[in-house]
Amino acid sequence: MAAKYVSINNELFLEEDAKIGVSDLAMHRGYGIFDYLKVIDNRPIFIEDHFNRFYNSAKEMYLDVMLDRQQLRKAVEELVEKNGIPTSGIKLLLTGGYSEDGYRMGTPNLVILQYPLNLQEENKPDTGLKLVTYDHQRQLPYIKTIDYLMAVRLHPFMKEKNADDVLYHNTGVITECPRANFFVVIDKEIITPRNNILRGITRSKVLNFKVSGYTIAEEDFSVDDLPNVKEAFITSTTQYAYPVTMIDGKMIGDGKTGPATKQIREQLFKLTYAQ
Amino acid sequence: MAAKYVSINNELFLEEDAKIGVSDLAMHRGYGIFDYLKVIDNRPIFIEDHFNRFYNSAKEMYLDVMLDRQQLRKAVEELVEKNGIPTSGIKLLLTGGYSEDGYRMGTPNLVILQYPLNLQEENKPDTGLKLVTYDHQRQLPYIKTIDYLMAVRLHPFMKEKNADDVLYHNTGVITECPRANFFVVIDKEIITPRNNILRGITRSKVLNFKVSGYTIAEEDFSVDDLPNVKEAFITSTTQYAYPVTMIDGKMIGDGKTGPATKQIREQLFKLTYAQ
């Protein structure tokens, strides 16, 4: 559930009154973009990176953002203050707007939602994620659009496969999870796919890390390489670096959080709390 | 603009009050399906075909429809009567519903909108459409989802190319237009793509026609075959069979409505008014 107040076009509404007219192009044509950032103790984390991506996604989809960066930051801060929730996830959602004919763009609607975030999950037990591979290439992968049609449709499939999440591949070449980037460790190299993915903010931080005993590279690899993988993890705003211990029912490494994953996870915590 | 009244979950609202909460999964994840049918002089056209497809799309996307076929038909009839518009387009829209976490499905929201339809367009001047080809494969092509992310994003591209619509191909193999099926005439054969398309209701009617002097087949063909095309047309609920006279700036045939297109268009009018 979103918090008590929601911002729509820079006006605050109670969550139960936060509504959008049925002619919005997100409803009719799944047309919109978004971004999602963390706020910890009232400090937004990597907000400039998220804003960079948000405004870029908007531009790529020909959507005007009614607020400039300074105004948008103020809108986020006001929402956080009004809701009185110092630690949360903030979702910025920009739709195709009210469409006269249900097909052509209108003036975009900007919705900002706050979701309480439980930071206890930073101390989650060391269970690791189970993934199941699926052959699918997201359209416009570099843009953070609202297109999660396949991901949501795959929920029953995931359940059937006893998996926590899906790992997409494009006719064999591994790309990403629906809401996270994917990394593996092969020999002493930490590798993450280079092409046809959304370039996550957390992923970009990891690519700049120095990890003792390992090199880091962006490089495509395939499902056939998975038997050689010693460690695997995903990165995302909410999950930091989180271990993957099983893919398609086969254990990765010894099924525990590996040393490279641990180092990266700790560096991400440090970087986050240094913000 | 939709007509005065809109039905949301089987309740009528004035268009300006017809709103959906911001937690709906269409807004957050572009998750939903729809169908669109014509009503002429209060008679819904091919409604059973549209209902078949609508309920099938819902099933394929794991969405429950709160109304059975009889109730849905009644809801459509009530909306038509309340709006007092005897000739119109009816859009049935079914979304992923209010989602607790902005990712998992809720109880679907069913929205029915009526759009006035100008039947003068059945007597449109014989100009023909200009198409521009674009390499893109729609995900889940057989399901009528709300995913038109690429189609809407291509509006500026279409304008730049001086085209009325896009013709998708999948690495060279022609599939469909974003909102219409595509047919060509090569020699004395009327051909429409077989694979990776949405099977339109109008398309299915045409496939059952007898067209004097021609055979009709479902068969894939490629952009390389376009120079051999004598006639081309699209089919859709609003456009019936409508001539295509230019593709990628090259004239099709003599640039006029061809004899096969004319026969099919007339048979579609007849079939429609026989309903």
Side-chain angles (χ1 to χ4, degrees), chain B residues 57-135:
Chain B
S57 298
K59 190 178 155 220
E60 287 282 350
M61 301 306 282
Y62 308 102
L63 297 170
D64 287 327
V65 187
M66 65 181 294
L67 303 180
D68 66 23
R69 292 172 77 108
Q70 205 180 339
Q71 292 167 327
L72 185 59
R73 187 171 180 131
K74 206 173 148 223
V76 169
E77 286 167 356
E78 279 172 0
L79 183 67
V80 168
E81 197 192 329
K82 184 83 177 172
N83 278 322
I85 304 176
T87 294
S88 64
I90 297 285
K91 189 165 189 174
L92 311 168
L93 189 56
L94 187 69
T95 72
Y98 298 131
S99 173
E100 280 290 310
D101 62 357
Y103 194 47
R104 274 160 213 284
M105 290 180 221
T107 303
N109 285 310
L110 174 65
V111 181
I112 312 176
L113 303 109
Q114 187 181 27
Y115 296 91
L117 202 63
N118 184 359
L119 282 189
Q120 287 186 337
E121 79 183 79
E122 293 185 9
N123 303 309
K124 257 190 220 172
D126 206 11
T127 49
L129 294 175
K130 295 191 272 272
L131 305 183
V132 57
T133 58
Y134 194 84
D135 189 351

Coordinates of all heavy atoms in Angstrom, one line a residue, chain B residues 57-135:
Chain B
S57 N -8.7 -13.4 -24.0 CA -7.5 -12.5 -23.6 C -7.4 -12.5 -22.1 O -6.3 -12.6 -21.5 CB -7.7 -11.1 -24.1 OG -7.8 -11.0 -25.6
A58 N -8.6 -12.3 -21.5 CA -8.6 -12.2 -20.0 C -8.0 -13.5 -19.4 O -7.2 -13.4 -18.5 CB -10.1 -12.0 -19.5
K59 N -8.5 -14.6 -19.9 CA -8.0 -15.9 -19.4 C -6.5 -16.1 -19.6 O -5.8 -16.5 -18.7 CB -8.8 -17.0 -20.1 CG -8.6 -18.4 -19.6 CD -9.4 -19.4 -20.3 CE -8.8 -20.8 -20.2 NZ -8.8 -21.6 -21.5
E60 N -6.0 -15.7 -20.8 CA -4.6 -15.8 -21.1 C -3.7 -15.0 -20.2 O -2.6 -15.3 -19.9 CB -4.3 -15.4 -22.5 CG -4.8 -16.4 -23.6 CD -3.8 -17.6 -23.7 OE1 -2.7 -17.5 -23.2 OE2 -4.2 -18.5 -24.4
M61 N -4.3 -13.9 -19.7 CA -3.6 -13.0 -18.8 C -4.0 -13.2 -17.3 O -3.6 -12.4 -16.4 CB -3.8 -11.5 -19.2 CG -3.4 -11.2 -20.6 SD -1.6 -11.6 -21.0 CE -0.8 -10.3 -20.2
Y62 N -4.7 -14.2 -17.0 CA -5.1 -14.6 -15.6 C -5.9 -13.5 -15.0 O -5.8 -13.2 -13.8 CB -3.8 -14.9 -14.8 CG -2.9 -15.9 -15.4 CD1 -1.7 -15.5 -16.0 CD2 -3.2 -17.3 -15.4 CE1 -0.9 -16.4 -16.6 CE2 -2.4 -18.2 -15.9 CZ -1.2 -17.8 -16.6 OH -0.4 -18.7 -17.2
L63 N -6.8 -12.9 -15.8 CA -7.7 -11.8 -15.2 C -9.1 -12.3 -15.2 O -9.6 -12.8 -16.3 CB -7.6 -10.6 -16.1 CG -6.2 -9.9 -16.2 CD1 -6.2 -8.8 -17.3 CD2 -5.9 -9.3 -14.9
D64 N -9.8 -12.2 -14.1 CA -11.2 -12.6 -14.0 C -12.1 -11.5 -14.5 O -11.8 -10.3 -14.2 CB -11.6 -13.0 -12.6 CG -11.0 -14.3 -12.2 OD1 -10.9 -15.2 -13.0 OD2 -10.7 -14.4 -11.0
V65 N -13.1 -11.8 -15.3 CA -14.1 -10.8 -15.7 C -15.3 -10.9 -14.7 O -15.8 -12.0 -14.6 CB -14.6 -11.0 -17.1 CG1 -15.5 -9.9 -17.6 CG2 -13.4 -11.2 -18.1
M66 N -15.6 -9.8 -14.0 CA -16.6 -9.9 -13.0 C -18.0 -10.2 -13.6 O -18.9 -10.6 -12.8 CB -16.7 -8.6 -12.2 CG -17.1 -7.4 -13.0 SD -17.1 -5.8 -12.1 CE -18.4 -6.1 -11.0
L67 N -18.2 -10.0 -14.9 CA -19.5 -10.2 -15.5 C -19.4 -11.4 -16.5 O -18.4 -11.5 -17.2 CB -19.9 -9.0 -16.3 CG -20.0 -7.6 -15.5 CD1 -20.5 -6.5 -16.5 CD2 -21.0 -7.8 -14.4
D68 N -20.5 -12.2 -16.5 CA -20.5 -13.2 -17.5 C -21.0 -12.6 -18.8 O -21.3 -11.4 -18.9 CB -21.4 -14.4 -17.1 CG -22.8 -14.1 -16.9 OD1 -23.3 -13.1 -17.5 OD2 -23.5 -14.8 -16.1
R69 N -21.0 -13.4 -19.9 CA -21.3 -12.9 -21.2 C -22.7 -12.1 -21.3 O -22.8 -11.1 -21.9 CB -21.3 -14.0 -22.3 CG -19.9 -14.5 -22.5 CD -20.0 -15.8 -23.4 NE -20.1 -15.4 -24.7 CZ -19.2 -15.5 -25.7 NH1 -18.0 -16.0 -25.3 NH2 -19.4 -15.1 -26.9
Q70 N -23.6 -12.7 -20.6 CA -25.0 -12.1 -20.6 C -25.0 -10.8 -19.9 O -25.6 -9.8 -20.3 CB -26.0 -13.1 -20.0 CG -27.4 -13.0 -20.5 CD -28.3 -14.0 -19.8 OE1 -27.8 -15.0 -19.3 NE2 -29.6 -13.7 -19.8
Q71 N -24.3 -10.8 -18.7 CA -24.2 -9.6 -17.9 C -23.4 -8.5 -18.7 O -23.8 -7.3 -18.6 CB -23.6 -9.9 -16.6 CG -24.4 -10.8 -15.7 CD -23.6 -11.3 -14.5 OE1 -22.4 -11.6 -14.6 NE2 -24.3 -11.4 -13.3
L72 N -22.4 -8.9 -19.3 CA -21.5 -8.0 -20.1 C -22.3 -7.3 -21.2 O -22.3 -6.1 -21.5 CB -20.3 -8.7 -20.6 CG -19.2 -7.8 -21.3 CD1 -18.8 -6.7 -20.3 CD2 -18.0 -8.6 -21.7
R73 N -23.1 -8.2 -21.9 CA -23.9 -7.7 -23.0 C -24.9 -6.7 -22.5 O -25.2 -5.6 -23.1 CB -24.6 -8.9 -23.7 CG -25.3 -8.4 -24.9 CD -25.9 -9.6 -25.7 NE -26.5 -9.0 -26.9 CZ -26.3 -9.4 -28.1 NH1 -25.5 -10.4 -28.4 NH2 -26.9 -8.8 -29.1
K74 N -25.5 -7.0 -21.3 CA -26.5 -6.1 -20.7 C -25.8 -4.8 -20.3 O -26.4 -3.7 -20.5 CB -27.1 -6.8 -19.5 CG -28.5 -6.3 -19.1 CD -29.1 -7.1 -18.0 CE -30.0 -6.2 -17.2 NZ -29.9 -6.4 -15.8
A75 N -24.6 -4.8 -19.8 CA -23.9 -3.6 -19.4 C -23.6 -2.7 -20.6 O -23.7 -1.5 -20.6 CB -22.6 -4.0 -18.7
V76 N -23.3 -3.4 -21.8 CA -23.0 -2.6 -23.0 C -24.3 -2.0 -23.5 O -24.4 -0.8 -23.8 CB -22.4 -3.6 -24.1 CG1 -22.5 -2.9 -25.5 CG2 -21.0 -4.0 -23.7
E77 N -25.4 -2.7 -23.4 CA -26.7 -2.2 -23.9 C -27.2 -1.0 -23.0 O -27.7 0.0 -23.5 CB -27.7 -3.3 -23.9 CG -27.5 -4.3 -25.1 CD -28.3 -5.6 -25.0 OE1 -29.0 -5.8 -23.9 OE2 -28.3 -6.4 -25.9
E78 N -27.0 -1.2 -21.7 CA -27.4 -0.1 -20.8 C -26.6 1.2 -21.1 O -27.1 2.3 -21.0 CB -27.2 -0.6 -19.4 CG -28.4 -1.4 -18.9 CD -28.1 -2.0 -17.5 OE1 -27.0 -1.8 -16.9 OE2 -29.0 -2.8 -17.0
L79 N -25.3 1.0 -21.3 CA -24.4 2.1 -21.6 C -24.9 2.9 -22.9 O -25.0 4.1 -22.9 CB -23.0 1.7 -21.7 CG -21.9 2.8 -21.9 CD1 -21.8 3.7 -20.6 CD2 -20.6 2.2 -22.2
V80 N -25.1 2.1 -23.9 CA -25.6 2.6 -25.2 C -26.9 3.4 -25.0 O -27.1 4.5 -25.5 CB -25.7 1.5 -26.2 CG1 -26.5 2.0 -27.5 CG2 -24.4 0.9 -26.6
E81 N -27.8 2.8 -24.2 CA -29.1 3.4 -24.0 C -29.0 4.7 -23.2 O -29.5 5.7 -23.6 CB -30.0 2.4 -23.3 CG -31.5 2.8 -23.4 CD -32.3 2.0 -22.5 OE1 -32.0 0.8 -22.2 OE2 -33.4 2.5 -22.0
K82 N -28.2 4.6 -22.1 CA -28.0 5.8 -21.2 C -27.4 7.0 -22.0 O -27.7 8.1 -21.8 CB -27.1 5.4 -20.1 CG -26.9 6.4 -19.0 CD -28.1 6.5 -18.0 CE -27.8 7.6 -17.0 NZ -28.9 7.8 -16.1
N83 N -26.4 6.6 -22.8 CA -25.7 7.7 -23.6 C -26.6 8.2 -24.8 O -26.3 9.3 -25.3 CB -24.3 7.2 -24.1 CG -23.2 7.3 -23.1 OD1 -23.2 8.2 -22.3 ND2 -22.4 6.3 -23.1
G84 N -27.5 7.4 -25.2 CA -28.4 7.8 -26.3 C -27.6 8.0 -27.6 O -27.9 8.8 -28.4
I85 N -26.6 7.1 -27.8 CA -25.8 7.2 -29.1 C -25.9 5.9 -29.8 O -25.3 4.9 -29.4 CB -24.3 7.5 -28.8 CG1 -24.2 8.8 -27.9 CG2 -23.5 7.7 -30.1 CD1 -22.8 9.2 -27.5
P86 N -26.7 5.8 -30.8 CA -27.0 4.5 -31.4 C -25.9 3.9 -32.2 O -25.8 2.7 -32.4 CB -28.3 4.8 -32.3 CG -28.2 6.3 -32.5 CD -27.5 6.9 -31.4
T87 N -25.0 4.8 -32.7 CA -23.9 4.3 -33.6 C -22.6 4.7 -33.0 O -22.3 5.9 -32.8 CB -24.1 4.8 -35.0 OG1 -25.3 4.2 -35.5 CG2 -22.9 4.4 -35.9
S88 N -21.7 3.7 -32.6 CA -20.6 4.1 -31.8 C -19.6 2.9 -31.8 O -19.8 1.8 -32.3 CB -21.0 4.3 -30.4 OG -21.5 3.1 -29.8
G89 N -18.4 3.2 -31.2 CA -17.4 2.2 -30.9 C -17.5 1.9 -29.4 O -17.7 2.9 -28.6
I90 N -17.4 0.7 -29.0 CA -17.5 0.3 -27.6 C -16.1 -0.3 -27.2 O -15.7 -1.3 -27.8 CB -18.6 -0.8 -27.3 CG1 -20.0 -0.2 -27.6 CG2 -18.5 -1.3 -25.9 CD1 -20.5 0.8 -26.6
K91 N -15.5 0.2 -26.2 CA -14.2 -0.3 -25.7 C -14.5 -1.0 -24.4 O -14.9 -0.4 -23.4 CB -13.2 0.8 -25.6 CG -11.8 0.3 -25.3 CD -10.8 1.4 -25.6 CE -9.4 0.8 -25.5 NZ -8.4 1.9 -25.9
L92 N -14.1 -2.3 -24.4 CA -14.1 -3.1 -23.1 C -12.7 -3.1 -22.6 O -11.8 -3.6 -23.3 CB -14.6 -4.5 -23.4 CG -15.9 -4.7 -24.2 CD1 -16.1 -6.1 -24.6 CD2 -17.1 -4.2 -23.3
L93 N -12.4 -2.6 -21.4 CA -11.1 -2.5 -20.9 C -11.0 -3.3 -19.6 O -11.8 -3.0 -18.7 CB -10.7 -1.0 -20.7 CG -9.3 -0.6 -20.4 CD1 -8.3 -1.0 -21.4 CD2 -9.3 1.0 -20.4
L94 N -10.0 -4.2 -19.4 CA -9.9 -4.9 -18.2 C -8.5 -4.8 -17.7 O -7.5 -5.2 -18.4 CB -10.3 -6.4 -18.5 CG -10.4 -7.3 -17.3 CD1 -11.6 -7.0 -16.4 CD2 -10.4 -8.8 -17.7
T95 N -8.3 -4.3 -16.5 CA -6.9 -4.0 -16.0 C -6.5 -5.0 -15.0 O -7.4 -5.8 -14.5 CB -6.8 -2.6 -15.4 OG1 -7.6 -2.6 -14.2 CG2 -7.4 -1.6 -16.3
G96 N -5.3 -5.0 -14.6 CA -4.8 -5.9 -13.5 C -5.3 -5.6 -12.1 O -5.0 -6.3 -11.2
G97 N -6.0 -4.5 -12.0 CA -6.7 -4.1 -10.7 C -5.7 -3.5 -9.7 O -4.6 -3.2 -10.0
Y98 N -6.3 -3.1 -8.6 CA -5.6 -2.4 -7.5 C -4.6 -3.4 -6.9 O -4.9 -4.4 -6.4 CB -6.5 -1.8 -6.5 CG -7.4 -0.8 -7.1 CD1 -8.8 -0.8 -6.9 CD2 -6.9 0.2 -8.0 CE1 -9.7 0.1 -7.5 CE2 -7.8 1.1 -8.6 CZ -9.1 1.1 -8.3 OH -9.9 2.0 -8.9
S99 N -3.3 -3.0 -7.0 CA -2.2 -3.8 -6.6 C -1.6 -3.3 -5.2 O -1.3 -2.1 -5.1 CB -1.1 -3.8 -7.6 OG 0.0 -4.5 -7.2
E100 N -1.5 -4.2 -4.3 CA -1.0 -3.9 -3.0 C 0.4 -3.3 -3.1 O 0.8 -2.3 -2.4 CB -1.0 -5.1 -2.1 CG -2.3 -5.4 -1.4 CD -2.7 -4.4 -0.4 OE1 -1.9 -4.1 0.5 OE2 -3.9 -3.9 -0.4
D101 N 1.2 -4.0 -3.9 CA 2.7 -3.6 -4.0 C 3.1 -3.0 -5.3 O 4.3 -2.9 -5.6 CB 3.5 -4.9 -3.7 CG 3.3 -6.0 -4.7 OD1 2.5 -5.8 -5.6 OD2 4.0 -7.0 -4.6
G102 N 2.1 -2.7 -6.1 CA 2.4 -2.1 -7.5 C 3.0 -3.1 -8.4 O 3.6 -2.7 -9.5
Y103 N 2.9 -4.4 -8.1 CA 3.5 -5.4 -9.0 C 2.6 -6.7 -9.2 O 2.5 -7.2 -10.2 CB 4.8 -5.8 -8.4 CG 5.7 -6.6 -9.4 CD1 5.9 -6.2 -10.7 CD2 6.4 -7.7 -9.0 CE1 6.8 -6.9 -11.6 CE2 7.2 -8.4 -9.8 CZ 7.4 -8.0 -11.1 OH 8.2 -8.7 -12.0
R104 N 2.0 -7.1 -8.1 CA 1.1 -8.2 -8.2 C -0.3 -7.9 -8.5 O -0.8 -6.8 -8.2 CB 1.2 -9.0 -6.9 CG 2.4 -10.0 -6.9 CD 2.8 -10.5 -5.6 NE 4.3 -10.7 -5.6 CZ 4.8 -11.7 -6.3 NH1 4.1 -12.7 -6.8 NH2 6.1 -11.8 -6.3
M105 N -1.0 -8.8 -9.2 CA -2.4 -8.5 -9.6 C -3.4 -8.3 -8.4 O -3.2 -9.0 -7.4 CB -2.9 -9.7 -10.5 CG -2.2 -9.8 -11.8 SD -2.9 -11.2 -12.7 CE -1.4 -11.8 -13.5
G106 N -4.3 -7.5 -8.6 CA -5.5 -7.4 -7.7 C -6.7 -7.9 -8.4 O -6.6 -8.7 -9.2
T107 N -7.9 -7.4 -7.9 CA -9.1 -7.8 -8.6 C -9.3 -6.8 -9.8 O -9.3 -5.6 -9.7 CB -10.3 -7.5 -7.6 OG1 -10.1 -8.3 -6.4 CG2 -11.6 -8.0 -8.3
P108 N -9.4 -7.4 -11.0 CA -9.4 -6.6 -12.2 C -10.5 -5.5 -12.2 O -11.6 -5.7 -11.6 CB -9.7 -7.6 -13.3 CG -9.2 -8.9 -12.8 CD -9.4 -8.9 -11.3
N109 N -10.2 -4.4 -12.8 CA -11.2 -3.3 -13.0 C -11.7 -3.4 -14.4 O -10.9 -3.5 -15.3 CB -10.6 -2.0 -12.7 CG -10.4 -1.7 -11.3 OD1 -11.3 -1.8 -10.5 ND2 -9.2 -1.3 -10.9
L110 N -13.0 -3.4 -14.6 CA -13.7 -3.5 -15.9 C -14.3 -2.1 -16.2 O -15.1 -1.6 -15.5 CB -14.8 -4.6 -15.8 CG -15.6 -4.7 -17.1 CD1 -14.8 -5.2 -18.3 CD2 -16.8 -5.7 -16.8
V111 N -13.7 -1.5 -17.3 CA -14.2 -0.2 -17.7 C -14.8 -0.4 -19.1 O -14.2 -1.0 -20.0 CB -13.0 0.8 -17.8 CG1 -13.5 2.2 -18.2 CG2 -12.3 0.8 -16.4
I112 N -16.0 0.2 -19.3 CA -16.6 0.2 -20.7 C -16.8 1.6 -21.1 O -17.4 2.4 -20.4 CB -17.9 -0.6 -20.7 CG1 -17.8 -2.0 -20.0 CG2 -18.4 -0.8 -22.1 CD1 -19.1 -2.7 -19.8
L113 N -16.2 1.9 -22.2 CA -16.4 3.3 -22.8 C -17.0 3.3 -24.1 O -16.8 2.3 -24.9 CB -15.0 3.9 -22.9 CG -14.1 4.0 -21.7 CD1 -12.9 3.0 -21.8 CD2 -13.5 5.4 -21.5
Q114 N -17.8 4.3 -24.4 CA -18.5 4.4 -25.7 C -17.9 5.6 -26.4 O -17.7 6.7 -25.8 CB -20.0 4.6 -25.5 CG -20.7 4.5 -26.9 CD -22.2 4.7 -26.7 OE1 -22.7 5.3 -25.7 NE2 -23.0 4.1 -27.6
Y115 N -17.6 5.5 -27.7 CA -17.0 6.6 -28.5 C -17.9 6.8 -29.7 O -18.2 5.8 -30.4 CB -15.6 6.3 -29.0 CG -14.6 6.1 -27.9 CD1 -14.3 4.9 -27.3 CD2 -13.9 7.2 -27.4 CE1 -13.4 4.7 -26.3 CE2 -12.9 7.1 -26.4 CZ -12.7 5.8 -25.9 OH -11.8 5.7 -24.9
P116 N -18.4 8.0 -29.9 CA -19.2 8.3 -31.1 C -18.4 7.9 -32.4 O -17.2 8.0 -32.4 CB -19.5 9.8 -31.1 CG -19.2 10.2 -29.6 CD -18.2 9.2 -29.1
L117 N -19.1 7.3 -33.3 CA -18.5 6.8 -34.5 C -19.1 7.5 -35.7 O -20.3 7.5 -35.9 CB -18.6 5.3 -34.6 CG -17.7 4.5 -35.4 CD1 -16.3 4.6 -34.9 CD2 -18.1 3.0 -35.4
N118 N -18.3 8.1 -36.6 CA -18.8 8.8 -37.8 C -18.8 7.8 -39.0 O -17.8 7.5 -39.5 CB -18.0 10.0 -38.0 CG -18.5 10.8 -39.2 OD1 -19.5 10.4 -39.8 ND2 -17.8 11.9 -39.5
L119 N -20.0 7.4 -39.3 CA -20.1 6.4 -40.4 C -19.9 7.0 -41.8 O -19.9 6.2 -42.7 CB -21.4 5.6 -40.3 CG -21.4 4.5 -39.2 CD1 -22.6 3.6 -39.3 CD2 -20.1 3.7 -39.3
Q120 N -19.9 8.3 -41.8 CA -19.5 8.9 -43.1 C -18.2 8.3 -43.6 O -17.9 8.3 -44.8 CB -19.4 10.4 -43.0 CG -20.8 11.0 -42.8 CD -20.7 12.5 -42.8 OE1 -19.7 13.1 -42.5 NE2 -21.9 13.1 -43.2
E121 N -17.4 7.9 -42.7 CA -16.1 7.4 -43.1 C -16.2 6.1 -44.0 O -15.2 5.8 -44.7 CB -15.1 7.2 -42.0 CG -15.3 6.0 -41.1 CD -14.3 6.0 -40.0 OE1 -14.5 6.6 -39.0 OE2 -13.2 5.3 -40.1
E122 N -17.3 5.5 -44.0 CA -17.5 4.4 -44.9 C -17.6 4.9 -46.3 O -17.5 4.1 -47.3 CB -18.8 3.6 -44.5 CG -18.7 2.9 -43.2 CD -19.9 2.1 -42.8 OE1 -20.8 1.9 -43.7 OE2 -19.9 1.6 -41.7
N123 N -17.8 6.2 -46.5 CA -17.8 6.7 -47.9 C -16.6 7.6 -48.1 O -16.7 8.5 -48.9 CB -19.1 7.5 -48.1 CG -20.3 6.6 -47.8 OD1 -20.4 5.5 -48.4 ND2 -21.2 7.1 -47.0
K124 N -15.6 7.4 -47.3 CA -14.4 8.2 -47.4 C -13.9 8.3 -48.9 O -14.0 7.4 -49.7 CB -13.2 7.5 -46.7 CG -13.0 8.1 -45.3 CD -11.7 7.5 -44.8 CE -11.8 7.3 -43.3 NZ -10.7 6.5 -42.8
P125 N -13.3 9.4 -49.2 CA -12.6 9.5 -50.6 C -11.6 8.4 -50.7 O -11.0 8.0 -49.8 CB -12.1 10.9 -50.6 CG -12.0 11.4 -49.2 CD -13.1 10.6 -48.4
D126 N -11.3 8.1 -52.0 CA -10.5 7.0 -52.3 C -9.0 7.3 -52.3 O -8.3 7.0 -53.2 CB -10.9 6.6 -53.7 CG -10.7 5.1 -54.0 OD1 -10.4 4.4 -53.0 OD2 -10.8 4.7 -55.1
T127 N -8.5 7.8 -51.1 CA -7.1 8.3 -51.1 C -6.2 7.2 -50.8 O -5.1 7.1 -51.3 CB -7.0 9.4 -50.0 OG1 -7.6 8.9 -48.8 CG2 -7.6 10.6 -50.4
G128 N -6.5 6.2 -49.9 CA -5.6 5.2 -49.5 C -4.7 5.6 -48.4 O -4.4 6.8 -48.3
L129 N -4.1 4.6 -47.7 CA -3.2 4.9 -46.6 C -1.8 4.8 -47.1 O -1.4 4.0 -47.9 CB -3.4 3.8 -45.5 CG -4.7 3.8 -44.8 CD1 -4.8 2.7 -43.8 CD2 -4.9 5.2 -44.0
K130 N -0.9 5.6 -46.4 CA 0.5 5.5 -46.6 C 1.1 4.8 -45.4 O 0.9 5.3 -44.3 CB 1.1 6.9 -46.8 CG 0.7 7.6 -48.0 CD 1.5 8.9 -48.3 CE 0.9 10.1 -47.6 NZ -0.1 10.9 -48.2
L131 N 1.8 3.7 -45.6 CA 2.4 3.0 -44.4 C 3.9 3.2 -44.5 O 4.5 3.4 -45.5 CB 2.1 1.5 -44.5 CG 0.6 1.1 -44.5 CD1 0.4 -0.4 -44.5 CD2 -0.2 1.8 -43.4
V132 N 4.5 3.0 -43.3 CA 6.0 3.0 -43.2 C 6.4 1.7 -42.4 O 5.7 1.4 -41.4 CB 6.6 4.2 -42.6 CG1 6.0 4.5 -41.2 CG2 8.1 4.2 -42.5
T133 N 7.3 0.9 -43.0 CA 7.6 -0.4 -42.3 C 8.5 -0.1 -41.1 O 9.3 0.9 -41.1 CB 8.3 -1.3 -43.3 OG1 9.5 -0.7 -43.8 CG2 7.4 -1.7 -44.4
Y134 N 8.4 -1.0 -40.1 CA 9.3 -0.9 -38.9 C 9.5 -2.3 -38.3 O 8.6 -3.0 -38.2 CB 8.5 0.0 -37.9 CG 9.5 0.5 -36.8 CD1 10.3 1.6 -36.9 CD2 9.5 -0.2 -35.6 CE1 11.2 2.0 -35.9 CE2 10.4 0.2 -34.6 CZ 11.2 1.3 -34.7 OH 12.0 1.6 -33.7
D135 N 10.7 -2.5 -38.0 CA 11.1 -3.9 -37.5 C 10.8 -3.9 -36.0 O 11.5 -3.4 -35.1 CB 12.6 -4.1 -37.7 CG 13.0 -5.5 -37.4 OD1 12.2 -6.3 -36.8 OD2 14.2 -5.9 -37.7

